[in-house]
């Protein structure tokens, strides 16, 4: 029979490999089931636990991902890649229809679209400020310097804050001038077939941070949910 101390020992074994807490809790449950199955054969806990450890050696081995100075376990890397792909796909599902609609409206009714885009940017700014003050500590914990590795969604949440700031810097600052460059670039591409780097940059910069904000918001939502689940089992001070 596994007692609470055994559970803590299994959990600590996983945490010692720098696995985020939410993922560590999930792995702990899997390992507990495996250890219990081994103990069903009347084995000692430590003998059973050592057997289970060997089955997790590959997944819990630390590696250095490409362009990263920090080693993480294979299972952590796999989880991050999976959620990145899923959230990226989900964000495009929301962003692409909006992006296409904005392009069409900008081309046919530029002055009306100018007001619509401005309202969108202001709405994003207001929502971002509200979410930031409501989840101040949680969003700040997404910083890479924050010591507690709470969730696999934690680092991705920084995209929410960065995109919000860049919308103010690149989109709202000198808005009329930037929008004029955007419309000029779009017309040059569609009417004159001038696919220059400058024209494409104007089009991309007017919209890319909206996509970043949507993706960052999805990360934030997932991080909030993950933190609430973790906090019910392990009290975390941010």
């Amino acid at each position: 029979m596994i007692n609470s101390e055994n559970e803590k020992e299994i959990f600590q074994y996983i945490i010692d490999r720098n696995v985020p807490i939410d993922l560590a809790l999930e792995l702990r449950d899997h390992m507990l089931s495996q250890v219990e199955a081994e103990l069903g054969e009347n084995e000692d806990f430590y003998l059973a636990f050592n057997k289970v450890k060997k089955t997790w050696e590959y997944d819990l081995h630390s590696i250095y991902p490409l362009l990263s100075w920090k080693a993480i376990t294979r299972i952590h890397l796999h989880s991050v890649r999976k959620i990145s792909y899923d959230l990226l796909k989900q964000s495009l599902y929301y962003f692409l229809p909006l992006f296409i609609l904005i392009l069409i409206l900008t081309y046919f009714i530029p002055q009306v679209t100018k007001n619509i885009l401005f309202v969108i940017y202001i709405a994003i700014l207001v929502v971002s400020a509200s979410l930031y003050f409501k989840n101040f500590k949680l969003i700040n914990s997404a910083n890479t310097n924050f010591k507690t590795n709470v969730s696999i969604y934690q680092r991705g949440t920084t995209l929410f804050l960065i995109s919000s700031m860049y919308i103010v810097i690149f989109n709202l600052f000198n808005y009329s001038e930037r929008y004029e460059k955007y419309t000029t670039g779009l017309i040059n591409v569609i009417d004159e077939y001038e696919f220059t780097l400058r024209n494409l940059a104007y089009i991309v910069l007017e919209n890319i941070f909206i996509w970043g904000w949507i993706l960052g918001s999805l990360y934030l939502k997932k991080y909030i949910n993950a933190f609430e689940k973790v906090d019910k089992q392990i009290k975390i001070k941010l």
Side-chain angles (χ1 to χ4, degrees):
M1 186 70 180
I2 296 177
N3 56 43
S4 60
E5 290 301 316
N6 296 148
E7 289 185 15
K8 289 179 182 178
E9 191 167 346
I10 292 173
F11 180 68
Q12 192 59 49
Y13 169 77
I14 302 168
I15 287 293
D16 287 344
R17 277 137 190 84
N18 198 33
V19 175
I21 296 173
D22 59 346
L23 181 58
L25 289 170
E26 185 180 338
L27 295 180
R28 180 201 63 183
D29 293 340
H30 286 296
M31 293 182 79
L32 277 171
S33 298
Q34 289 177 290
V35 172
E36 284 177 345
E38 292 290 341
L39 286 174
E41 300 173 6
N42 297 318
E43 289 200 26
D44 175 73
F45 166 76
Y46 292 101
L47 288 175
F49 187 26
N50 285 333
K51 280 186 178 180
V52 171
K53 281 181 185 179
K54 290 179 180 179
T55 66
W56 287 90
E57 278 183 356
Y58 180 82
D59 288 326
L60 292 176
H61 179 72
S62 292
I63 58 174
Y64 286 90
L66 185 65
L67 303 177
S68 176
W69 57 269
K70 190 175 182 179
I72 62 174
T73 59
R74 283 194 176 93
I75 195 165
H76 183 185
L77 179 61
H78 173 76
S79 299
V80 168
R81 285 176 174 171
K82 184 179 184 304
I83 65 169
S84 296
Y85 174 77
D86 291 343
L87 293 182
L88 187 65
K89 186 169 63 173
Q90 192 177 347
S91 68
L92 287 172
Y93 176 81
Y94 293 119
F95 171 72
L96 286 179
L98 178 62
F99 175 62
I100 294 169
L101 179 62
I102 289 172
L103 289 180
I104 294 171
L105 292 177
T106 302
Y107 183 75
F108 289 105
I109 46 174
Q111 287 305 312
V112 175
T113 310
K114 180 181 179 180
N115 295 330
I116 293 172
L117 262 180
F118 185 75
V119 170
I120 290 174
Y121 293 147
I122 293 298
I124 288 175
L125 188 60
V126 171
V127 171
S128 298
S130 300
L131 287 172
Y132 182 73
F133 287 113
K134 184 179 178 181
N135 304 283
F136 174 76
K137 291 184 178 179
L138 200 64
I139 293 174
N140 281 349
S141 72
N143 190 300
T144 53
N145 294 325
F146 191 77
K147 292 182 179 179
T148 306
N149 199 357
V150 180
S151 170
I152 52 177
Y153 301 101
Q154 188 170 351
R155 304 308 176 203
T157 303
T158 55
L159 189 59
F160 167 79
L161 188 58
I162 292 170
S163 297
S164 301
M165 293 170 59
Y166 272 71
I167 282 174
V168 175
I169 297 169
F170 282 98
N171 297 93
L172 287 176
F173 185 72
N174 288 336
Y175 176 69
S176 295
E177 182 183 338
R178 290 185 181 279
Y179 184 76
E180 185 179 345
K181 290 179 179 178
Y182 165 58
T183 53
T184 302
L186 182 62
I187 291 169
N188 287 341
V189 167
I190 295 176
D191 291 346
E192 307 297 331
Y193 303 106
E194 293 181 3
F195 292 90
T196 64
L197 184 60
R198 177 177 293 182
N199 288 333
L200 294 174
Y202 289 149
I203 296 171
V204 169
L205 288 174
E206 193 68 29
N207 295 279
I208 193 68
F209 299 116
I210 297 177
W211 178 29
W213 185 82
I214 292 171
L215 181 56
S217 298
L218 293 173
Y219 268 107
L220 177 59
K221 182 182 178 181
K222 291 286 188 180
Y223 183 29
I224 291 171
N225 292 338
F227 180 83
E228 288 174 351
K229 289 180 181 179
V230 168
D231 198 48
K232 287 179 182 178
Q233 301 186 57
I234 303 171
K235 292 300 177 182
I236 301 173
K237 289 184 179 181
L238 294 178

